[in-house]
């Protein structure tokens, strides 16, 4: 622990999961902010948080808060993270980081100007099984990586007012679900050189299903499928010339994987054994970066989060999705 004092901005489901995992890790959760005092009070009581603020501004100006976890819907990330940074707080911002690259660029510049950490809360990258996968790849266990494939598919309500279907809330499969496989592909293969995307749009114009095929340095290829209307395997594979890694369901949460040789021999089996959901690992990483005085992490640098938003922008341009707040 670095002694950072955490505040949570918003009180929805993802905020509750994060609060629970902060408690699991023994980190210092001192405040919560909501748009209503009643909601803040209820959340504070649930997670034994000392201070409950009835506005986001009150949380951002609390002198006893050092870092704020932003857990609002996508279109609010930019303004809410800006509020934290402008008031001298480090910010861990839920994924997708923003709704587009322009907003992400702005947060990166502001954090740099203020000498503060701003970090995308892509919690999957920090999980122990993902750390081990990167170690195996770095050690050459797969040889040359030729392909990565991943899906994130869930059956979610078709209610047009639901966040996942409302364009004004950044709705659609891409920003909520597709960010996982796209970020994973970036992690393994780096920036795509070409992007091809197709989608089926739902009744509200939000993307219900999105599929991508991308090429990367050295000719490696990647595929992803995301859906808010149907459940698939939710698995992933990294395929190399000397072996492959098969990540089990649900690949983006604590799970198991196998390192498999070309002849089918299992060289290594890994099974996650952690406390809680696993969101504490990104918080611990943020604390380490602040303690080192390092605004750029090595697992997910802010510059990479900004570049990933550009990839999502290109996918949306190809499938014809634009959010109302983009003009």
């Amino acid at each position: 622990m670095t002694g950072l004092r955490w505040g949570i901005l918003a009180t929805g489901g993802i905020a509750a999961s994060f609060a629970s995992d902060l408690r699991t890790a023994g980190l210092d959760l001192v405040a919560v902010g909501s748009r209503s005092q009643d909601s803040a009070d209820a959340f504070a009581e649930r997670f034994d948080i000392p201070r409950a603020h009835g506005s986001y501004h009150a949380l951002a100006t609390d002198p006893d808060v050092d870092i704020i976890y932003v857990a609002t819907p996508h279109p609010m990330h930019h303004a809410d993270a800006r509020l934290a940074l402008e008031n001298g707080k480090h910010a861990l911002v839920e994924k997708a980081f923003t709704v587009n690259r322009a907003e992400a660029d702005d947060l990166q510049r502001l954090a740099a100007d203020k000498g503060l950490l701003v970090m995308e809360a892509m919690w999957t990258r920090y999980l122990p099984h993902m750390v081990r996968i990167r170690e195996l790849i770095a050690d050459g266990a797969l040889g040359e990586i030729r392909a990565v494939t991943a899906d994130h598919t869930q059956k979610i309500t078709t209610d047009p007012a639901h966040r996942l279907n409302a364009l004004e809330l950044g709705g659609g499969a891409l920003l909520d679900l597709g960010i996982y496989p796209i970020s994973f592909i970036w992690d393994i293969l780096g920036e795509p050189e070409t992007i091809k995307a197709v989608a089926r749009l739902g009744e509200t114009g939000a993307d219900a299903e999105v599929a991508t095929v991308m090429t990367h340095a050295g000719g490696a290829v990647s595929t992803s499928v995301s859906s808010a209307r149907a459940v698939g395997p939710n698995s992933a594979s990294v395929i190399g010339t000397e072996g492959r890694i098969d990540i089990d369901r649900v690949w983006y949460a604590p799970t198991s994987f196998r390192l498999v040789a070309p002849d089918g021999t299992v060289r290594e089996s890994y099974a996650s054994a952690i406390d809680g959901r696993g969101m504490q690992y990104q918080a611990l990483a943020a604390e380490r970066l602040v303690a080192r005085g390092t605004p750029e992490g090595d697992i997910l640098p802010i510059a990479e989060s900004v570049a990933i938003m550009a990839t999502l922008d290109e996918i949306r341009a190809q499938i014809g999705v634009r959010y109302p707040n983009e003009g």
Side-chain angles (χ1 to χ4, degrees):
M1 290 177 59
T2 65
L4 285 185
R5 297 165 298 180
W6 285 84
I8 294 180
L9 190 152
T11 56
I14 196 70
S17 295
F18 186 72
S20 178
D21 281 351
L22 284 186
R23 288 295 185 224
T24 294
L27 300 185
D28 196 8
L29 175 55
V30 301
V32 60
S34 177
R35 290 175 297 178
S36 77
Q37 190 63 55
D38 286 347
S39 178
D41 288 341
F43 194 92
E45 181 178 2
R46 179 181 175 187
F47 293 104
D48 192 25
I49 301 171
R51 287 187 299 288
H53 297 291
S55 73
Y56 297 156
H57 182 268
L59 173 67
T61 55
D62 186 332
D64 293 322
V65 171
D66 302 310
I67 183 167
I68 290 176
Y69 169 67
V70 175
T72 44
H74 312 309
M76 292 76 168
H77 288 179
H78 176 247
D80 294 337
R82 237 188 177 280
L83 178 65
L85 294 167
E86 286 172 342
N87 285 281
K89 315 300 187 190
H90 303 288
L92 176 63
V93 185
E94 252 311 314
K95 44 66 190 121
F97 187 53
T98 53
V99 297
N100 55 41
R101 178 169 185 163
E103 291 183 351
D105 273 329
D106 182 64
L107 292 181
Q108 182 183 20
R109 286 193 299 268
L110 179 59
D113 289 345
K114 294 282 190 178
L116 295 167
L117 174 74
V118 64
M119 176 175 145
E120 183 181 10
M122 176 44 72
W123 64 295
T124 298
R125 288 216 186 181
Y126 301 89
L127 293 173
H129 76 283
M130 288 294 178
V131 173
R132 179 57 184 153
I133 287 169
R134 285 193 293 270
E135 289 173 348
L136 289 168
I137 292 171
D139 289 343
L142 299 187
E144 183 183 1
I145 306 301
R146 302 309 306 151
V148 174
T149 181
D151 81 298
H152 188 175
T153 47
Q154 298 188 35
K155 187 174 177 61
I156 301 173
T157 178
T158 59
D159 179 0
H162 188 274
R163 177 179 64 82
L164 261 292
N165 302 311
L167 282 175
E168 66 274 15
L169 295 177
L174 182 64
L175 257 61
D176 216 87
L177 309 177
I179 179 62
Y180 284 89
I182 297 299
S183 184
F184 176 60
I185 289 165
W186 259 86
D187 191 15
I188 304 301
L189 294 178
E191 183 173 8
E193 294 181 346
T194 65
I195 301 169
K196 298 293 183 183
V198 295
R200 184 180 70 84
L201 305 187
E203 299 80 2
T204 63
D207 45 291
E209 280 95 22
V210 182
T212 66
V213 178
M214 301 188 289
T215 62
H216 304 262
V221 298
S222 67
T223 62
S224 76
V225 176
S226 302
S227 175
R229 299 294 174 87
V231 180
N234 284 302
S235 59
S237 292
V238 182
I239 302 165
T241 56
E242 301 302 322
R244 74 178 190 271
I245 291 172
D246 292 331
I247 313 175
D248 295 322
R249 176 181 182 89
V250 176
W251 70 266
Y252 49 82
T255 189
S256 54
F257 72 80
R258 288 162 309 288
L259 171 61
V260 183
D263 66 0
T265 304
V266 176
R267 293 176 177 165
E268 178 175 323
S269 293
Y270 182 99
S272 295
I274 69 168
D275 294 326
R277 186 169 186 250
M279 299 184 77
Q280 66 269 33
Y281 293 99
Q282 63 185 346
L284 291 164
E287 293 212 357
R288 287 192 295 270
L289 292 172
V290 171
R292 295 203 308 252
T294 306
E296 284 277 353
D298 53 351
I299 291 178
L300 181 54
I302 186 59
E304 187 170 329
S305 290
V306 172
I308 289 170
M309 289 312 308
T311 296
L312 298 181
D313 285 353
E314 174 59 25
I315 293 170
R316 286 197 297 115
Q318 290 189 22
I319 65 177
V321 171
R322 188 172 182 85
Y323 304 119
N325 64 331
E326 292 182 293

